[in-house]
């Protein structure tokens, strides 16, 4: 499963649907061998202390780092996230 991280400032919690959040929690759990992420990423993620929240409304694979206030912005759909990432990775060539 690919994980897509979406950030809406100010970040106060990390939310994902249950299976995605369980996977993220497993990835962040300290282990004798850390095969899936760099030590720098893991130590940073573990030190933030943001609450992890199950959110059934989020699509699988999307992790939303968001404010916890009730009037927070709605999370983007998986199609919107994929479109945004595709636009970032698109190689453009310019002609003189």
């Amino acid at each position: 499963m690919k994980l897509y991280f979406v950030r809406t400032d100010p970040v106060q919690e990390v939310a994902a649907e249950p299976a995605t959040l369980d996977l993220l929690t497993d990835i962040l759990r300290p282990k004798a061998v850390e095969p899936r992420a760099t030590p720098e990423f893991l130590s940073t993620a573990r030190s933030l202390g943001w609450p992890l929240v199950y959110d059934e409304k989020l699509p699988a694979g999307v992790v939303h780092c968001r404010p916890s206030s009730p009037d927070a912005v709605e999370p983007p759909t998986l199609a919107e996230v994929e479109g945004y990432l595709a636009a970032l990775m698109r190689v453009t060539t310019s002609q003189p």
Side-chain angles (χ1 to χ4, degrees), residues 27-83:
I27 290 170
L28 295 176
R29 184 177 298 116
K31 299 174 190 63
V33 177
E34 301 282 5
R36 293 182 275 190
T38 65
E40 295 83 10
F41 170 78
L42 291 167
S43 64
T44 300
R46 291 174 183 149
S47 69
L48 294 175
W50 291 325
L52 302 176
V53 178
Y54 287 126
D55 188 340
E56 301 275 343
K57 294 182 263 179
L58 292 173
V62 173
V63 178
H64 192 190
C65 303
R66 65 187 186 192
S68 58
S69 65
D71 59 341
V73 177
E74 277 292 311
T77 65
L78 184 56
E80 290 171 329
V81 172
E82 288 174 338

